[in-house]
Amino acid sequence: MHPIVAIENLKQHVGSTVTMRGWLADKSSKGKLHFLKFRDGTGFVQAVVFKGDVGEGFFDEVGRLGQESSLVLHGVVKSDERAPGGVEVSVVGGEILQKVEGFPITPKEHGPDFLLSNRHLWLRSRRQWAILRIRDCVAKAIRDFYEQEGFICVDSPIFTPAACEGTSTLFEVDYFDEEKAYLTQSGQLYAEASAMAFGKVYCFGPTFRAEKSKTRRHLTEFWMLEPEIAYATLDDVMQHAEDLLCFVVKRVLERRRVELATLERDVAKLEAIVPPFPRLSYDDAHALIEKHAPGQHEHGDDFGAPDETIISNQYQKPVMVHRYPHEVKAFYMKRDPHDARKALCVDVLAPEGIGEIIGGSQREEDLDVLRGRIAEHKLPEEAFSWYLDLRRYGSVPHGGFGLGLERTVAWICGIEHVREASAYPRMMYRIYP
Ligand code: 4AD
Ligand code: MG
């Protein structure tokens, strides 16, 4: 009996004989040698099978194994500087659990539709493995950051009676006795209530948008982190976003080097993510676009993807664009006391084309003003009566933001499309598998 060791920990066992339990990712052979690409979920390693070490029977059986056959291998761990994990294994024996033929996803190129239809199997390939391990690291970093900063996690509900981010992207569900409910677009309104009870809070969970867009940035189900802070101003919110993003990127650089290398990510670009981030008003952002693409952006409109690309291309760090015209933003945002046409809001645009990863604001804390906004936005006041209570009983300035997990992971990984940052992405035309 040898100790069972995970591939990611093999380095600590150089010189000893270990057992690995996993799957065959790929294989090549030369004379009396098989070179197995072996994976166990924690990593990939080359396992060399020499006929003289394992005997003819096992050697021949391994030679006939197809991709994704499941097997247990015993072998001696050897240091190998050229290997990605720094080690390789000389196999001394093993047991085959299942011989597989015809695994649909081969090392050759496949189209995105085929891969997405086989997402349950595609997850096993090296790039997807790397991306989703980085996602896990980002999610853990977020929770650690909030623990360190003294925040309390208070989760918001998924079934809600009202819209938070406009009525056009609501998923409606039947909720007993002819009542309608919606899948939440954002946990923010509840996070505001939680902040009045606990001071500094966050919620972190799935949110839903019936987005009829097929862009590389949109999912219909995605995860959002939403901190909400009592007594925070817009400046506090921006500072907080900067602190969080720097913490998260640093953590990924510390713990996910192998995965970043697998993705061929230019880590110098991530190492450059240090404070301070550029801060730019909406008006200045508009002027910047005018300079690079005259006439592309109409002053007063929201920024489209091409506009965001021009803005973010000017910087090597995430850029914070603040104070948009209130017409293009949500009802709950406080207006700028120095310019009533503007909302006290911020969008954080990631570098390298992924666009907005964070949207946030200072919230309107005055009861009557907020009521007026609900009416202006043609939202039903009854549904918000609990929310208005927050302005009746101990109202204080406060603010927060929402960070889209998949967009953040896509940016950190340097991948084109947010769908690969979700294990089982939900999009307008895809709900299988
Ligand atoms: O800017 P949004 O709509 O902000 C809110 O929902 C606020 N209520 C958050 C808050 O202040 N607590 O969304 C926040 C972020 C976006 O910046 C983006 O990263 C992500 O959520 N996001 C999406 N990600 C993937 N697919 C979609 N369809 C997304 N819509 C928004
Ligand atoms: Mg937004």
Side-chain angles (χ1 to χ4, degrees):
M1 283 291 278
H2 310 293
I4 296 164
V5 176
I7 289 175
E8 66 179 338
N9 299 327
L10 283 176
K11 246 186 156 159
Q12 298 145 35
H13 296 264
V14 171
S16 30
T17 307
V18 302
T19 293
M20 304 184 294
R21 307 191 291 190
W23 299 263
L24 182 63
D26 197 9
K27 182 188 79 199
S28 62
S29 301
K30 202 173 159 197
K32 294 177 176 166
L33 292 168
H34 296 310
F35 300 97
L36 314 183
K37 292 266 180 301
F38 192 68
R39 62 170 197 89
D40 73 347
T42 74
F44 292 76
V45 71
Q46 169 151 285
V48 183
V49 188
F50 173 54
K51 199 175 192 168
D53 287 341
V54 297
E56 194 158 345
F58 186 69
F59 184 83
D60 290 347
E61 256 195 306
V62 168
R64 287 191 295 271
L65 291 182
Q67 193 187 337
E68 288 306 314
S69 293
S70 42
L71 67 160
V72 173
L73 290 175
H74 315 294
V76 184
V77 185
K78 301 200 165 148
S79 176
D80 177 2
E81 284 318 312
R82 291 157 307 164
V87 291
E88 118 175 344
V89 175
S90 290
V91 176
V92 297
E95 298 93 50
I96 292 159
L97 278 82
Q98 189 184 33
K99 296 176 186 172
V100 168
E101 263 175 63
F103 186 70
I105 300 173
T106 59
K108 75 162 205 248
E109 285 277 314
H110 297 283
D113 263 335
F114 176 83
L115 290 170
L116 285 165
S117 294
N118 287 285
R119 183 61 170 165
H120 52 299
L121 304 176
W122 186 26
L123 288 179
R124 303 180 189 194
S125 60
R126 207 183 270 259
R127 279 179 60 81
Q128 303 309 312
W129 169 84
I131 294 165
L132 290 164
R133 280 180 52 104
I134 290 172
R135 174 182 166 126
D136 167 72
C137 181
V138 169
K140 174 74 162 63
I142 286 171
R143 293 194 187 277
D144 288 349
F145 174 78
Y146 282 106
E147 190 185 340
Q148 169 193 301
E149 297 293 313
F151 282 59
I152 294 290
C153 177
V154 184
D155 290 314
S156 293
I158 302 230
F159 284 136
T160 60
C164 177
E165 295 298 317
T167 49
S168 64
T169 62
L170 283 173
F171 277 114
E172 198 176 276
V173 289
D174 292 328
Y175 200 78
F176 307 114
D177 302 335
E178 291 165 42
E179 247 202 271
K180 292 289 178 205
Y182 308 101
L183 299 182
T184 188
Q185 300 163 302
S186 156
Q188 178 197 322
L189 305 185
Y190 296 91
E192 288 184 52
S194 308
M196 297 306 133
F198 300 94
K200 299 193 285 185
V201 301
Y202 69 98
C203 60
F204 190 20
T207 48
F208 305 85
R209 305 259 171 114
E211 302 262 18
K212 290 210 172 76
S213 31
K214 294 195 294 173
T215 76
R216 64 195 183 91
R217 303 169 172 191
H218 288 93
L219 298 168
T220 54
E221 174 177 338
F222 58 98
W223 272 57
M224 213 198 291
L225 159 76
E226 297 183 85
E228 192 68 33
I229 313 168
Y231 288 97
T233 62
L234 177 61
D235 280 340
D236 297 331
V237 168
M238 291 202 275
Q239 187 56 51
H240 181 71
E242 182 180 294
D243 293 346
L244 170 71
L245 289 174
C246 291
F247 183 96
V248 167
V249 170
K250 186 160 167 267
R251 172 67 72 81
V252 173
L253 284 167
E254 282 161 10
R255 300 198 180 169
R256 289 293 183 260
R257 285 278 169 175
V258 172
E259 291 80 356
L260 291 169
T262 300
L263 297 169
E264 296 172 350
R265 180 69 168 116
D266 180 354
V267 289
K269 292 209 165 113
L270 296 177
E271 281 159 355
I273 308 306
V274 290
F277 293 173
R279 287 152 166 80
L280 200 66
S281 71
Y282 170 91
D283 289 343
D284 290 344
H286 168 77
L288 192 68
I289 299 164
E290 265 307 285
K291 201 171 105 195
H292 289 84
Q296 172 175 300
H297 178 252
E298 182 88 26
H299 188 272
D301 286 359
D302 202 355
F303 296 127
D307 305 318
E308 292 186 351
T309 302
I310 291 182
I311 300 167
S312 59
N313 278 350
Q314 314 309 313
Y315 307 93
Q316 272 74 55
K317 299 182 194 180
V319 46
M320 309 214 201
V321 184
H322 56 82
R323 294 180 171 81
Y324 285 58
H326 68 78
E327 292 90 346
V328 302
K329 291 293 180 186
F331 76 94
Y332 51 72
M333 293 184 181
K334 188 177 168 68
R335 302 269 165 98
D336 185 352
H338 303 293
D339 180 355
R341 294 165 303 174
K342 301 284 169 27
L344 288 177
C345 65
V346 61
D347 276 11
V348 181
L349 312 180
E352 304 173 74
I354 209 74
E356 179 200 328
I357 53 171
I358 287 180
S361 71
Q362 191 173 327
R363 321 304 190 189
E364 178 53 64
E365 79 263 31
D366 182 88
L367 176 64
D368 293 326
V369 177
L370 189 56
R371 272 185 137 145
R373 302 268 191 272
I374 290 174
E376 270 169 43
H377 284 254
K378 300 197 169 55
L379 295 165
E381 191 175 314
E382 327 79 75
F384 293 93
S385 69
W386 68 269
Y387 182 64
L388 291 169
D389 275 349
L390 307 175
R391 277 65 175 173
R392 288 190 183 99
Y393 306 110
S395 191
V396 297
H398 62 289
F401 61 72
L403 168 143
L405 180 62
E406 290 79 4
R407 287 192 194 173
T408 303
V409 170
W411 160 54
I412 291 175
C413 291
I415 57 176
E416 268 287 293
H417 204 300
V418 293
R419 66 191 172 202
E420 283 180 66
S422 167
Y424 306 100
R426 303 293 137 191
M427 290 169 285
M428 190 178 171
Y429 292 113
R430 180 167 295 280
I431 196 156
Y432 177 92

